[in-house]
Every structure is written in structure tokens, then in C-alpha cells.
Amino acid sequence: MNCAFFVSGRGSNFSAILEKKKSGELNINIELVVSSSQNAGANEIARDENIDVFVVNNENQSEILPLLLSKKIDLIILAGFIKKIPDEIIIAFRDKIINIHPSLLPAFGGKGMFGENVHKAVIERGVKISGLTIHIVDEEYDNGKILFQKAVEVLPNDTPQTLAKRILTQEHDSLWRVIKEFSKKYE
Ligand code: GRF
């Protein structure tokens, strides 16, 4: 199964996937990383593995779809990608794009709900159980069919940072499992 990862930041989820690939627990080809930032940590991680990195901006956005098609991508994984995916890609890859989100959707999702904003809103609201969601990407932010969720308790003294860290640990142990389910079709 040929995969493309879309990233914007440090890339810890992407790293966790590379580890699972190296350990032999996950059998996929990582053909491409699309990054929305020139300085994303994930770009370096990819280049160290000799994976092509395409840094997207407003001018070259239309080049992504031909690139995905030329690399025969089967599954697109949004691992901390903060930009909206162009509709033409969603249409061409219907049900073949997944996203990981650090809350129990449909709560605390949608436009602007990324990174620390999510955990800050969760704590301010007094929510006792948060977690993570892996879902299919459609035309609306954080809206598609839910494939996987894991609950994480919000502790009385949690800050957005401590909660984010505990959820991230669970993200690293979750995303590869969903990708593995997809990959079974290609074995
Ligand atoms: C993760 O919390 C993920 O759920 C969210 O963005 C963050 C990405 O972190 N969509 P990283 O770049 O994988 O470390």
C-alpha cells in the first residue's frame, strides 16, 4: 500500500509510523510527505529516510493531485496537517484520506480546533474525558466517518500541555493500527 503523509509540524505521529514500519509491524510504502511548512520538523525526519517532501504553498497547490496520482498513492494520512485539503483531492481520494484529531469528535473539532486550542477548550469546559479520533476526511473539517477512538481521562490538575502529552502517547499507539487495517486490503 502506497502512502502519503501530510504534515505541518514536529511530526511525532509520522515518526511513530516510521518506527512501526522499521519494526516490521506495519508493512507500507511511504512514497511522499506533503508539508505545509518549510520548517516543519517532519520534513527533516522524512528527508533522513530519503522520502520525497513536497512543501505546499498557495502557488503550487494544484501540483499535489498529479503528484499523488503519479506516485500511485492508495492512502493519504493527515498527521498534524493544519491546512484545508483541496476538494479536488478529497473527490479523487474519496474514503482514502484519514486524519488524527486530539479529542473525541464530534466534540472539540472544526475550524480553528487544532493543537493546544483543543486541549485548552476541553479543560476550560470542565470535560472529564477527552481522547483521540481517527476519521475519514470529507469536505468539512473533522466531519467524516469515525474509524477509531480512544478515551483519555482529563485529570484535575491538567494543563493543555500535560493533557496533550498524554493524548499524544495514545495517538502514537493508535494511528498505525488504523493504517494496518487499511493495508490488509493490499497484502
Ligand atoms: C497531533 O496531536 C494530531 O492529533 C493533530 O496534530 C498533532 C500533530 O502532532 N492533528 P505531530 O506533528 O504528529 O507531533
Side-chain angles (χ1 to χ4, degrees):
M1 182 172 75
N2 296 333
C3 297
F5 282 78
F6 283 39
V7 298
S8 296
R10 71 197 148 186
S12 70
N13 273 290
F14 177 56
S15 264
I17 296 300
L18 285 171
E19 290 307 314
K20 291 293 176 188
K21 186 170 146 57
K22 284 179 190 162
S23 71
E25 289 166 278
L26 187 61
N27 183 18
I28 58 169
N29 306 318
I30 303 178
E31 295 292 331
L32 179 68
V33 165
V34 174
S35 174
S36 68
S37 165
Q38 192 78 56
N39 306 316
N43 303 5
E44 282 316 302
I45 298 169
R47 289 188 184 118
D48 285 348
E49 300 291 328
N50 291 319
I51 299 166
D52 286 350
V53 178
F54 180 82
V55 179
V56 62
N57 54 44
N58 289 337
E59 281 75 54
N60 65 12
Q61 190 161 294
S62 62
E63 294 171 32
I64 304 174
L65 181 55
L67 194 53
L68 293 167
L69 295 173
S70 74
K71 289 188 175 283
K72 300 200 178 346
I73 298 301
D74 299 303
L75 183 69
I76 298 172
I77 300 107
L78 311 187
F81 190 68
I82 56 172
K83 280 196 146 191
K84 184 98 170 53
I85 300 293
D87 280 359
E88 57 170 13
I89 296 179
I90 293 174
I91 291 163
F93 285 85
R94 180 73 65 199
D95 295 332
K96 291 176 180 169
I97 311 176
I98 62 173
N99 179 47
I100 183 161
H101 182 82
S103 77
L104 293 177
L105 291 174
F108 302 100
K111 197 165 194 285
M113 274 295 175
F114 60 86
E116 216 171 280
N117 299 351
V118 178
H119 308 295
K120 200 164 170 277
V122 162
I123 289 170
E124 275 171 8
R125 186 64 187 269
V127 166
K128 307 300 176 219
I129 310 278
S130 191
L132 68 100
T133 302
I134 299 168
H135 64 94
I136 296 283
V137 172
D138 68 10
E139 284 82 351
E140 281 177 57
Y141 274 112
D142 299 327
N143 182 66
K145 188 175 178 207
I146 290 171
L147 303 174
F148 181 97
Q149 288 189 306
K150 194 173 227 180
V152 173
E153 195 180 349
V154 183
L155 302 176
N157 294 327
D158 260 336
T159 63
Q161 293 78 16
T162 59
L163 179 58
K165 199 170 167 206
R166 277 206 316 292
I167 293 177
L168 193 63
T169 304
Q170 297 304 321
E171 292 183 42
H172 296 164
D173 189 46
S174 300
L175 186 55
W176 75 278
R177 296 177 193 277
V178 176
I179 297 173
K180 195 177 171 73
E181 271 309 301
F182 270 88
S183 72
K184 285 180 182 164
K185 283 185 265 177
Y186 297 85
E187 276 167 5

